[in-house]
Amino acid sequence: MSAMLILQLLFLTIGSAIAAISKKTKLAVAISTGLLLMTYILSIAIDLIEKLTLLKYLTPFKYFEAKIVMNGNGLERKFIIL
């Protein structure tokens, strides 16, 4: 549950920053949604192509993977600090 909270707070912060910078409301929503979709697609591409594992630092969906957390390995400190 803490990993989900951190992930939600991260996207809340990114969305709020984009909304604060943008002057048009619809543009901020479009950029935020596009960014969310791009990071999700990147996380799927990382799963499919092993050569892209270095890009896991660019997508928050790879910070706290459910399969790692549920196996009892817990949260990785490097991603919490990042």
Side-chain angles (χ1 to χ4, degrees):
M1 294 302 288
S2 61
M4 188 184 327
L5 176 68
I6 293 171
L7 189 63
Q8 289 174 346
L9 289 174
L10 180 65
F11 279 114
L12 172 72
T13 304
I14 292 170
S16 298
I18 292 171
I21 293 171
S22 177
K23 293 182 181 182
K24 297 181 180 178
T25 308
K26 291 183 180 182
L27 181 64
V29 171
I31 292 172
S32 298
T33 305
L35 185 65
L36 176 71
L37 184 62
M38 284 179 17
T39 56
Y40 180 70
I41 291 172
L42 181 62
S43 72
I44 292 173
I46 291 169
D47 285 339
L48 294 175
I49 304 170
E50 293 180 10
K51 293 180 182 179
L52 298 178
T53 55
L54 189 60
L55 295 177
K56 69 180 179 181
Y57 297 103
L58 296 178
T59 175
F61 290 105
K62 288 294 179 190
Y63 292 177
F64 313 108
E65 291 188 86
K67 61 184 174 188
I68 295 172
V69 175
M70 291 176 66
N71 286 334
N73 295 337
L75 303 175
E76 294 184 46
R77 291 182 187 167
K78 61 184 174 185
F79 290 124
I80 294 174
I81 292 170
L82 181 64

